[in-house]
PDB file of all heavy atoms in Angstrom:
ATOM      1  N   ALA R   4      44.159 -35.455  20.564  1.00 92.00           N
ATOM      2  CA  ALA R   4      45.245 -36.337  20.060  1.00 92.00           C
ATOM      3  C   ALA R   4      46.284 -35.332  19.309  1.00 92.00           C
ATOM      4  O   ALA R   4      47.478 -35.525  19.465  1.00 92.00           O
ATOM      5  CB  ALA R   4      44.730 -37.368  19.201  1.00 92.00           C
ATOM      6  N   LEU R   5      45.790 -34.508  18.417  1.00 94.00           N
ATOM      7  CA  LEU R   5      46.657 -33.675  17.689  1.00 94.00           C
ATOM      8  C   LEU R   5      47.434 -32.717  18.621  1.00 94.00           C
ATOM      9  O   LEU R   5      48.655 -32.531  18.417  1.00 94.00           O
ATOM     10  CB  LEU R   5      45.854 -32.704  16.759  1.00 94.00           C
ATOM     11  CG  LEU R   5      46.663 -31.789  15.869  1.00 94.00           C
ATOM     12  CD1 LEU R   5      47.638 -32.559  14.979  1.00 94.00           C
ATOM     13  CD2 LEU R   5      45.665 -30.943  14.938  1.00 94.00           C
ATOM     14  N   ALA R   6      46.836 -32.279  19.825  1.00 94.00           N
ATOM     15  CA  ALA R   6      47.583 -31.442  20.721  1.00 94.00           C
ATOM     16  C   ALA R   6      48.604 -32.292  21.427  1.00 94.00           C
ATOM     17  O   ALA R   6      49.813 -31.724  21.590  1.00 94.00           O
ATOM     18  CB  ALA R   6      46.598 -30.888  21.747  1.00 94.00           C
ATOM     19  N   LEU R   7      48.437 -33.489  21.664  1.00 93.00           N
ATOM     20  CA  LEU R   7      49.404 -34.230  22.359  1.00 93.00           C
ATOM     21  C   LEU R   7      50.541 -34.616  21.362  1.00 93.00           C
ATOM     22  O   LEU R   7      51.727 -34.673  21.902  1.00 93.00           O
ATOM     23  CB  LEU R   7      48.740 -35.575  22.868  1.00 93.00           C
ATOM     24  CG  LEU R   7      47.767 -35.387  23.976  1.00 93.00           C
ATOM     25  CD1 LEU R   7      47.020 -36.745  24.369  1.00 93.00           C
ATOM     26  CD2 LEU R   7      48.453 -34.876  25.281  1.00 93.00           C
ATOM     27  N   VAL R   8      50.311 -34.769  20.189  1.00 94.00           N
ATOM     28  CA  VAL R   8      51.359 -35.030  19.158  1.00 94.00           C
ATOM     29  C   VAL R   8      52.134 -33.810  18.944  1.00 94.00           C
ATOM     30  O   VAL R   8      53.284 -33.779  18.910  1.00 94.00           O
ATOM     31  CB  VAL R   8      50.700 -35.580  17.834  1.00 94.00           C
ATOM     32  CG1 VAL R   8      51.783 -35.638  16.757  1.00 94.00           C
ATOM     33  CG2 VAL R   8      50.152 -36.952  18.107  1.00 94.00           C
ATOM     34  N   GLY R   9      51.490 -32.636  18.938  1.00 94.00           N
ATOM     35  CA  GLY R   9      52.211 -31.310  18.913  1.00 94.00           C
ATOM     36  C   GLY R   9      53.150 -31.191  19.998  1.00 94.00           C
ATOM     37  O   GLY R   9      54.221 -30.577  19.950  1.00 94.00           O
ATOM     38  N   THR R  10      52.602 -31.633  21.288  1.00 94.00           N
ATOM     39  CA  THR R  10      53.592 -31.502  22.427  1.00 94.00           C
ATOM     40  C   THR R  10      54.659 -32.361  22.399  1.00 94.00           C
ATOM     41  O   THR R  10      55.839 -31.901  22.815  1.00 94.00           O
ATOM     42  CB  THR R  10      52.636 -31.847  23.718  1.00 94.00           C
ATOM     43  OG1 THR R  10      51.525 -31.095  23.839  1.00 94.00           O
ATOM     44  CG2 THR R  10      53.556 -31.731  24.985  1.00 94.00           C
ATOM     45  N   ALA R  11      54.539 -33.532  21.756  1.00 94.00           N
ATOM     46  CA  ALA R  11      55.766 -34.427  21.535  1.00 94.00           C
ATOM     47  C   ALA R  11      56.664 -33.705  20.497  1.00 94.00           C
ATOM     48  O   ALA R  11      57.825 -33.886  20.684  1.00 94.00           O
ATOM     49  CB  ALA R  11      55.214 -35.811  20.957  1.00 94.00           C
ATOM     50  N   GLY R  12      56.172 -33.032  19.572  1.00 94.00           N
ATOM     51  CA  GLY R  12      57.001 -32.371  18.592  1.00 94.00           C
ATOM     52  C   GLY R  12      57.898 -31.305  19.342  1.00 94.00           C
ATOM     53  O   GLY R  12      59.018 -31.064  19.086  1.00 94.00           O
ATOM     54  N   ILE R  13      57.192 -30.594  20.264  1.00 94.00           N
ATOM     55  CA  ILE R  13      57.897 -29.552  21.016  1.00 94.00           C
ATOM     56  C   ILE R  13      59.010 -30.222  21.821  1.00 94.00           C
ATOM     57  O   ILE R  13      60.113 -29.635  21.980  1.00 94.00           O
ATOM     58  CB  ILE R  13      56.940 -28.793  22.012  1.00 94.00           C
ATOM     59  CG1 ILE R  13      55.856 -28.090  21.170  1.00 94.00           C
ATOM     60  CG2 ILE R  13      57.662 -27.878  22.982  1.00 94.00           C
ATOM     61  CD1 ILE R  13      56.374 -26.755  20.531  1.00 94.00           C
ATOM     62  N   PHE R  14      58.736 -31.362  22.389  1.00 92.00           N
ATOM     63  CA  PHE R  14      59.764 -32.089  23.196  1.00 92.00           C
ATOM     64  C   PHE R  14      60.915 -32.538  22.227  1.00 92.00           C
ATOM     65  O   PHE R  14      62.069 -32.417  22.636  1.00 92.00           O
ATOM     66  CB  PHE R  14      59.145 -33.371  23.803  1.00 92.00           C
ATOM     67  CG  PHE R  14      58.340 -33.098  25.068  1.00 92.00           C
ATOM     68  CD1 PHE R  14      57.201 -33.941  25.346  1.00 92.00           C
ATOM     69  CD2 PHE R  14      58.599 -32.060  25.935  1.00 92.00           C
ATOM     70  CE1 PHE R  14      56.498 -33.760  26.405  1.00 92.00           C
ATOM     71  CE2 PHE R  14      57.869 -31.812  27.033  1.00 92.00           C
ATOM     72  CZ  PHE R  14      56.702 -32.656  27.367  1.00 92.00           C
ATOM     73  N   LEU R  15      60.594 -32.767  20.977  1.00 91.00           N
ATOM     74  CA  LEU R  15      61.734 -33.106  20.097  1.00 91.00           C
ATOM     75  C   LEU R  15      62.586 -32.002  19.802  1.00 91.00           C
ATOM     76  O   LEU R  15      63.825 -32.093  19.649  1.00 91.00           O
ATOM     77  CB  LEU R  15      61.148 -33.813  18.840  1.00 91.00           C
ATOM     78  CG  LEU R  15      60.697 -35.260  18.954  1.00 91.00           C
ATOM     79  CD1 LEU R  15      60.101 -35.666  17.593  1.00 91.00           C
ATOM     80  CD2 LEU R  15      61.825 -36.061  19.296  1.00 91.00           C
ATOM     81  N   THR R  16      61.949 -30.801  19.677  1.00 90.00           N
ATOM     82  CA  THR R  16      62.764 -29.634  19.388  1.00 90.00           C
ATOM     83  C   THR R  16      63.668 -29.237  20.571  1.00 90.00           C
ATOM     84  O   THR R  16      64.616 -28.559  20.354  1.00 90.00           O
ATOM     85  CB  THR R  16      61.886 -28.408  18.951  1.00 90.00           C
ATOM     86  OG1 THR R  16      61.068 -28.002  20.062  1.00 90.00           O
ATOM     87  CG2 THR R  16      61.042 -28.634  17.787  1.00 90.00           C
ATOM     88  N   LEU R  17      63.378 -29.700  21.756  1.00 85.00           N
ATOM     89  CA  LEU R  17      64.029 -29.561  22.902  1.00 85.00           C
ATOM     90  C   LEU R  17      65.037 -30.645  23.275  1.00 85.00           C
ATOM     91  O   LEU R  17      65.617 -30.658  24.307  1.00 85.00           O
ATOM     92  CB  LEU R  17      63.174 -29.273  24.205  1.00 85.00           C
ATOM     93  CG  LEU R  17      62.235 -28.085  24.088  1.00 85.00           C
ATOM     94  CD1 LEU R  17      61.158 -28.040  25.248  1.00 85.00           C
ATOM     95  CD2 LEU R  17      63.071 -26.864  24.076  1.00 85.00           C
ATOM     96  N   ASP R  18      65.206 -31.503  22.296  1.00 82.00           N
ATOM     97  CA  ASP R  18      66.152 -32.713  22.503  1.00 82.00           C
ATOM     98  C   ASP R  18      65.746 -33.581  23.572  1.00 82.00           C
ATOM     99  O   ASP R  18      66.664 -34.111  24.307  1.00 82.00           O
ATOM    100  CB  ASP R  18      67.609 -32.227  22.664  1.00 82.00           C
ATOM    101  CG  ASP R  18      68.174 -31.592  21.357  1.00 82.00           C
ATOM    102  OD1 ASP R  18      67.701 -32.070  20.275  1.00 82.00           O
ATOM    103  OD2 ASP R  18      68.973 -30.766  21.390  1.00 82.00           O
ATOM    104  N   ALA R  19      64.439 -33.779  23.739  1.00 85.00           N
ATOM    105  CA  ALA R  19      63.871 -34.562  24.829  1.00 85.00           C
ATOM    106  C   ALA R  19      63.183 -35.808  24.188  1.00 85.00           C
ATOM    107  O   ALA R  19      62.047 -35.888  24.165  1.00 85.00           O
ATOM    108  CB  ALA R  19      62.994 -33.914  25.809  1.00 85.00           C
ATOM    109  N   GLU R  20      64.020 -36.668  23.540  1.00 86.00           N
ATOM    110  CA  GLU R  20      63.458 -37.763  22.847  1.00 86.00           C
ATOM    111  C   GLU R  20      62.568 -38.717  23.629  1.00 86.00           C
ATOM    112  O   GLU R  20      61.600 -39.165  23.220  1.00 86.00           O
ATOM    113  CB  GLU R  20      64.499 -38.466  22.024  1.00 86.00           C
ATOM    114  CG  GLU R  20      65.256 -37.810  20.951  1.00 86.00           C
ATOM    115  CD  GLU R  20      66.439 -37.020  21.520  1.00 86.00           C
ATOM    116  OE1 GLU R  20      66.775 -37.185  22.847  1.00 86.00           O
ATOM    117  OE2 GLU R  20      67.074 -36.213  20.839  1.00 86.00           O
ATOM    118  N   PHE R  21      63.102 -38.984  24.801  1.00 87.00           N
ATOM    119  CA  PHE R  21      62.345 -39.819  25.712  1.00 87.00           C
ATOM    120  C   PHE R  21      61.020 -39.308  26.126  1.00 87.00           C
ATOM    121  O   PHE R  21      60.036 -40.048  26.068  1.00 87.00           O
ATOM    122  CB  PHE R  21      63.117 -40.036  27.075  1.00 87.00           C
ATOM    123  CG  PHE R  21      62.498 -41.067  28.056  1.00 87.00           C
ATOM    124  CD1 PHE R  21      62.377 -42.337  27.774  1.00 87.00           C
ATOM    125  CD2 PHE R  21      61.921 -40.531  29.117  1.00 87.00           C
ATOM    126  CE1 PHE R  21      61.887 -43.187  28.745  1.00 87.00           C
ATOM    127  CE2 PHE R  21      61.248 -41.404  30.038  1.00 87.00           C
ATOM    128  CZ  PHE R  21      61.295 -42.797  29.845  1.00 87.00           C
ATOM    129  N   LEU R  22      60.883 -38.034  26.475  1.00 89.00           N
ATOM    130  CA  LEU R  22      59.574 -37.544  26.763  1.00 89.00           C
ATOM    131  C   LEU R  22      58.705 -37.465  25.619  1.00 89.00           C
ATOM    132  O   LEU R  22      57.491 -37.681  25.601  1.00 89.00           O
ATOM    133  CB  LEU R  22      59.796 -36.029  27.370  1.00 89.00           C
ATOM    134  CG  LEU R  22      60.387 -35.856  28.759  1.00 89.00           C
ATOM    135  CD1 LEU R  22      60.518 -34.502  29.071  1.00 89.00           C
ATOM    136  CD2 LEU R  22      59.565 -36.579  29.641  1.00 89.00           C
ATOM    137  N   ALA R  23      59.268 -37.278  24.358  1.00 92.00           N
ATOM    138  CA  ALA R  23      58.396 -37.300  23.157  1.00 92.00           C
ATOM    139  C   ALA R  23      57.932 -38.612  22.934  1.00 92.00           C
ATOM    140  O   ALA R  23      56.756 -38.871  22.556  1.00 92.00           O
ATOM    141  CB  ALA R  23      59.230 -36.790  21.994  1.00 92.00           C
ATOM    142  N   ALA R  24      58.717 -39.642  23.115  1.00 90.00           N
ATOM    143  CA  ALA R  24      58.307 -40.972  22.906  1.00 90.00           C
ATOM    144  C   ALA R  24      57.284 -41.451  23.945  1.00 90.00           C
ATOM    145  O   ALA R  24      56.134 -42.052  23.568  1.00 90.00           O
ATOM    146  CB  ALA R  24      59.418 -42.050  23.015  1.00 90.00           C
ATOM    147  N   VAL R  25      57.359 -41.044  25.185  1.00 89.00           N
ATOM    148  CA  VAL R  25      56.301 -41.308  26.120  1.00 89.00           C
ATOM    149  C   VAL R  25      55.100 -40.624  25.820  1.00 89.00           C
ATOM    150  O   VAL R  25      54.009 -41.083  25.988  1.00 89.00           O
ATOM    151  CB  VAL R  25      56.871 -40.895  27.530  1.00 89.00           C
ATOM    152  CG1 VAL R  25      55.802 -40.911  28.655  1.00 89.00           C
ATOM    153  CG2 VAL R  25      57.946 -41.870  28.044  1.00 89.00           C
ATOM    154  N   GLN R  26      55.235 -39.393  25.357  1.00 91.00           N
ATOM    155  CA  GLN R  26      53.993 -38.616  25.023  1.00 91.00           C
ATOM    156  C   GLN R  26      53.229 -39.198  23.924  1.00 91.00           C
ATOM    157  O   GLN R  26      51.993 -39.324  23.924  1.00 91.00           O
ATOM    158  CB  GLN R  26      54.467 -37.159  24.557  1.00 91.00           C
ATOM    159  CG  GLN R  26      53.361 -36.152  24.240  1.00 91.00           C
ATOM    160  CD  GLN R  26      52.658 -35.625  25.440  1.00 91.00           C
ATOM    161  OE1 GLN R  26      53.347 -35.607  26.533  1.00 91.00           O
ATOM    162  NE2 GLN R  26      51.552 -35.168  25.309  1.00 91.00           N
ATOM    163  N   ILE R  27      53.909 -39.782  22.918  1.00 93.00           N
ATOM    164  CA  ILE R  27      53.228 -40.397  21.723  1.00 93.00           C
ATOM    165  C   ILE R  27      52.656 -41.708  22.123  1.00 93.00           C
ATOM    166  O   ILE R  27      51.479 -42.019  21.946  1.00 93.00           O
ATOM    167  CB  ILE R  27      54.214 -40.602  20.616  1.00 93.00           C
ATOM    168  CG1 ILE R  27      54.731 -39.310  20.000  1.00 93.00           C
ATOM    169  CG2 ILE R  27      53.608 -41.502  19.523  1.00 93.00           C
ATOM    170  CD1 ILE R  27      53.624 -38.533  19.186  1.00 93.00           C
ATOM    171  N   LEU R  28      53.446 -42.626  22.877  1.00 90.00           N
ATOM    172  CA  LEU R  28      52.978 -43.859  23.174  1.00 90.00           C
ATOM    173  C   LEU R  28      52.016 -43.941  24.250  1.00 90.00           C
ATOM    174  O   LEU R  28      50.963 -44.589  24.131  1.00 90.00           O
ATOM    175  CB  LEU R  28      54.230 -44.875  23.702  1.00 90.00           C
ATOM    176  CG  LEU R  28      55.191 -45.183  22.635  1.00 90.00           C
ATOM    177  CD1 LEU R  28      56.383 -45.840  23.184  1.00 90.00           C
ATOM    178  CD2 LEU R  28      54.617 -46.043  21.517  1.00 90.00           C
ATOM    179  N   LEU R  29      52.248 -43.245  25.357  1.00 87.00           N
ATOM    180  CA  LEU R  29      51.304 -43.328  26.537  1.00 87.00           C
ATOM    181  C   LEU R  29      50.046 -42.444  26.229  1.00 87.00           C
ATOM    182  O   LEU R  29      48.952 -42.933  26.409  1.00 87.00           O
ATOM    183  CB  LEU R  29      52.036 -42.922  27.723  1.00 87.00           C
ATOM    184  CG  LEU R  29      51.333 -43.186  29.003  1.00 87.00           C
ATOM    185  CD1 LEU R  29      51.243 -44.641  29.204  1.00 87.00           C
ATOM    186  CD2 LEU R  29      52.100 -42.559  30.220  1.00 87.00           C
ATOM    187  N   TYR R  30      50.272 -41.179  25.940  1.00 85.00           N
ATOM    188  CA  TYR R  30      49.115 -40.279  25.970  1.00 85.00           C
ATOM    189  C   TYR R  30      48.448 -40.341  24.616  1.00 85.00           C
ATOM    190  O   TYR R  30      47.200 -40.659  24.445  1.00 85.00           O
ATOM    191  CB  TYR R  30      49.567 -38.855  26.225  1.00 85.00           C
ATOM    192  CG  TYR R  30      49.995 -38.745  27.720  1.00 85.00           C
ATOM    193  CD1 TYR R  30      51.346 -38.384  27.935  1.00 85.00           C
ATOM    194  CD2 TYR R  30      49.197 -39.018  28.718  1.00 85.00           C
ATOM    195  CE1 TYR R  30      51.792 -38.209  29.218  1.00 85.00           C
ATOM    196  CE2 TYR R  30      49.597 -38.919  29.957  1.00 85.00           C
ATOM    197  CZ  TYR R  30      50.845 -38.507  30.326  1.00 85.00           C
ATOM    198  OH  TYR R  30      51.342 -38.336  31.588  1.00 85.00           O
ATOM    199  N   ALA R  31      49.125 -39.978  23.467  1.00 83.00           N
ATOM    200  CA  ALA R  31      48.499 -39.908  22.170  1.00 83.00           C
ATOM    201  C   ALA R  31      48.000 -41.289  21.733  1.00 83.00           C
ATOM    202  O   ALA R  31      46.946 -41.491  21.081  1.00 83.00           O
ATOM    203  CB  ALA R  31      49.414 -39.355  21.176  1.00 83.00           C
ATOM    204  N   GLY R  32      48.721 -42.375  22.107  1.00 83.00           N
ATOM    205  CA  GLY R  32      48.420 -43.746  21.750  1.00 83.00           C
ATOM    206  C   GLY R  32      47.293 -44.308  22.662  1.00 83.00           C
ATOM    207  O   GLY R  32      46.296 -44.728  22.235  1.00 83.00           O
ATOM    208  N   GLY R  33      47.730 -44.482  23.913  1.00 83.00           N
ATOM    209  CA  GLY R  33      46.965 -45.313  24.872  1.00 83.00           C
ATOM    210  C   GLY R  33      45.650 -44.459  25.335  1.00 83.00           C
ATOM    211  O   GLY R  33      44.646 -44.956  25.233  1.00 83.00           O
ATOM    212  N   VAL R  34      45.877 -43.329  25.850  1.00 83.00           N
ATOM    213  CA  VAL R  34      44.746 -42.642  26.483  1.00 83.00           C
ATOM    214  C   VAL R  34      43.741 -42.197  25.497  1.00 83.00           C
ATOM    215  O   VAL R  34      42.559 -42.389  25.648  1.00 83.00           O
ATOM    216  CB  VAL R  34      45.264 -41.336  27.210  1.00 83.00           C
ATOM    217  CG1 VAL R  34      44.228 -40.471  27.745  1.00 83.00           C
ATOM    218  CG2 VAL R  34      46.288 -41.656  28.380  1.00 83.00           C
ATOM    219  N   ILE R  35      44.178 -41.767  24.351  1.00 85.00           N
ATOM    220  CA  ILE R  35      43.173 -41.417  23.347  1.00 85.00           C
ATOM    221  C   ILE R  35      42.399 -42.515  22.860  1.00 85.00           C
ATOM    222  O   ILE R  35      41.204 -42.471  22.511  1.00 85.00           O
ATOM    223  CB  ILE R  35      43.917 -40.559  22.146  1.00 85.00           C
ATOM    224  CG1 ILE R  35      44.558 -39.320  22.671  1.00 85.00           C
ATOM    225  CG2 ILE R  35      42.980 -40.358  21.000  1.00 85.00           C
ATOM    226  CD1 ILE R  35      43.594 -38.335  23.202  1.00 85.00           C
ATOM    227  N   THR R  36      43.058 -43.693  22.566  1.00 84.00           N
ATOM    228  CA  THR R  36      42.384 -44.877  22.217  1.00 84.00           C
ATOM    229  C   THR R  36      41.298 -45.305  23.278  1.00 84.00           C
ATOM    230  O   THR R  36      40.197 -45.699  22.820  1.00 84.00           O
ATOM    231  CB  THR R  36      43.433 -46.027  22.074  1.00 84.00           C
ATOM    232  OG1 THR R  36      44.399 -45.641  21.152  1.00 84.00           O
ATOM    233  CG2 THR R  36      42.744 -47.316  21.592  1.00 84.00           C
ATOM    234  N   ILE R  37      41.717 -45.202  24.509  1.00 82.00           N
ATOM    235  CA  ILE R  37      40.741 -45.547  25.516  1.00 82.00           C
ATOM    236  C   ILE R  37      39.431 -44.632  25.541  1.00 82.00           C
ATOM    237  O   ILE R  37      38.373 -45.057  25.738  1.00 82.00           O
ATOM    238  CB  ILE R  37      41.393 -45.610  26.944  1.00 82.00           C
ATOM    239  CG1 ILE R  37      42.287 -46.795  27.057  1.00 82.00           C
ATOM    240  CG2 ILE R  37      40.382 -45.695  28.088  1.00 82.00           C
ATOM    241  CD1 ILE R  37      43.096 -46.801  28.152  1.00 82.00           C
ATOM    242  N   VAL R  38      39.705 -43.273  25.377  1.00 83.00           N
ATOM    243  CA  VAL R  38      38.724 -42.369  25.427  1.00 83.00           C
ATOM    244  C   VAL R  38      37.844 -42.501  24.108  1.00 83.00           C
ATOM    245  O   VAL R  38      36.593 -42.436  24.265  1.00 83.00           O
ATOM    246  CB  VAL R  38      39.363 -40.936  25.476  1.00 83.00           C
ATOM    247  CG1 VAL R  38      38.201 -39.859  25.279  1.00 83.00           C
ATOM    248  CG2 VAL R  38      40.028 -40.710  26.827  1.00 83.00           C
ATOM    249  N   VAL R  39      38.418 -42.795  22.998  1.00 81.00           N
ATOM    250  CA  VAL R  39      37.594 -42.963  21.828  1.00 81.00           C
ATOM    251  C   VAL R  39      36.710 -44.158  22.004  1.00 81.00           C
ATOM    252  O   VAL R  39      35.531 -44.247  21.670  1.00 81.00           O
ATOM    253  CB  VAL R  39      38.448 -43.091  20.539  1.00 81.00           C
ATOM    254  CG1 VAL R  39      37.729 -43.620  19.410  1.00 81.00           C
ATOM    255  CG2 VAL R  39      39.100 -41.790  20.151  1.00 81.00           C
ATOM    256  N   PHE R  40      37.298 -45.328  22.621  1.00 78.00           N
ATOM    257  CA  PHE R  40      36.457 -46.409  22.764  1.00 78.00           C
ATOM    258  C   PHE R  40      35.379 -46.219  23.765  1.00 78.00           C
ATOM    259  O   PHE R  40      34.329 -46.753  23.581  1.00 78.00           O
ATOM    260  CB  PHE R  40      37.479 -47.542  23.405  1.00 78.00           C
ATOM    261  CG  PHE R  40      36.805 -48.929  23.671  1.00 78.00           C
ATOM    262  CD1 PHE R  40      36.380 -49.586  22.568  1.00 78.00           C
ATOM    263  CD2 PHE R  40      36.657 -49.252  24.926  1.00 78.00           C
ATOM    264  CE1 PHE R  40      35.803 -50.890  22.838  1.00 78.00           C
ATOM    265  CE2 PHE R  40      36.007 -50.509  25.193  1.00 78.00           C
ATOM    266  CZ  PHE R  40      35.551 -51.265  24.093  1.00 78.00           C
ATOM    267  N   ALA R  41      35.679 -45.462  24.848  1.00 77.00           N
ATOM    268  CA  ALA R  41      34.658 -45.118  25.839  1.00 77.00           C
ATOM    269  C   ALA R  41      33.451 -44.270  25.216  1.00 77.00           C
ATOM    270  O   ALA R  41      32.362 -44.560  25.470  1.00 77.00           O
ATOM    271  CB  ALA R  41      35.189 -44.368  26.979  1.00 77.00           C
ATOM    272  N   ILE R  42      33.847 -43.294  24.338  1.00 76.00           N
ATOM    273  CA  ILE R  42      32.802 -42.646  23.677  1.00 76.00           C
ATOM    274  C   ILE R  42      32.046 -43.430  22.751  1.00 76.00           C
ATOM    275  O   ILE R  42      30.784 -43.306  22.735  1.00 76.00           O
ATOM    276  CB  ILE R  42      33.440 -41.396  22.895  1.00 76.00           C
ATOM    277  CG1 ILE R  42      34.056 -40.369  23.930  1.00 76.00           C
ATOM    278  CG2 ILE R  42      32.505 -40.668  21.993  1.00 76.00           C
ATOM    279  CD1 ILE R  42      34.893 -39.321  23.166  1.00 76.00           C
ATOM    280  N   VAL R  43      32.510 -44.263  22.012  1.00 75.00           N
ATOM    281  CA  VAL R  43      31.822 -45.099  20.994  1.00 75.00           C
ATOM    282  C   VAL R  43      30.847 -46.033  21.758  1.00 75.00           C
ATOM    283  O   VAL R  43      29.752 -46.251  21.500  1.00 75.00           O
ATOM    284  CB  VAL R  43      32.784 -45.874  20.146  1.00 75.00           C
ATOM    285  CG1 VAL R  43      32.090 -46.964  19.273  1.00 75.00           C
ATOM    286  CG2 VAL R  43      33.459 -44.906  19.242  1.00 75.00           C
ATOM    287  N   VAL R  44      31.435 -46.692  22.900  1.00 72.00           N
ATOM    288  CA  VAL R  44      30.586 -47.671  23.587  1.00 72.00           C
ATOM    289  C   VAL R  44      29.442 -46.901  24.321  1.00 72.00           C
ATOM    290  O   VAL R  44      28.323 -47.418  24.353  1.00 72.00           O
ATOM    291  CB  VAL R  44      31.461 -48.317  24.584  1.00 72.00           C
ATOM    292  CG1 VAL R  44      30.741 -49.259  25.585  1.00 72.00           C
ATOM    293  CG2 VAL R  44      32.380 -49.411  23.880  1.00 72.00           C
ATOM    294  N   THR R  45      29.716 -45.756  24.931  1.00 71.00           N
ATOM    295  CA  THR R  45      28.753 -45.038  25.555  1.00 71.00           C
ATOM    296  C   THR R  45      27.651 -44.639  24.606  1.00 71.00           C
ATOM    297  O   THR R  45      26.358 -44.714  25.037  1.00 71.00           O
ATOM    298  CB  THR R  45      29.343 -43.768  26.379  1.00 71.00           C
ATOM    299  OG1 THR R  45      30.455 -44.309  27.196  1.00 71.00           O
ATOM    300  CG2 THR R  45      28.288 -43.075  27.087  1.00 71.00           C
ATOM    301  N   GLU R  46      27.919 -44.170  23.487  1.00 67.00           N
ATOM    302  CA  GLU R  46      26.941 -43.709  22.528  1.00 67.00           C
ATOM    303  C   GLU R  46      26.127 -44.845  22.084  1.00 67.00           C
ATOM    304  O   GLU R  46      24.929 -44.728  21.837  1.00 67.00           O
ATOM    305  CB  GLU R  46      27.641 -43.033  21.279  1.00 67.00           C
ATOM    306  CG  GLU R  46      28.135 -41.651  21.624  1.00 67.00           C
ATOM    307  CD  GLU R  46      28.663 -40.899  20.376  1.00 67.00           C
ATOM    308  OE1 GLU R  46      28.817 -41.569  19.335  1.00 67.00           O
ATOM    309  OE2 GLU R  46      28.984 -39.764  20.521  1.00 67.00           O
TER     310      GLU R  46
END
């Protein structure tokens, strides 16, 4: 999750606000939440 947020920060430094927002919402928000949920349920 920290790596994905760092990637969004890199996108912001490149003036790619849309890609940064997608990175935060879709990957850092959605995918990480699903993976954490899967790990907790599996354990």
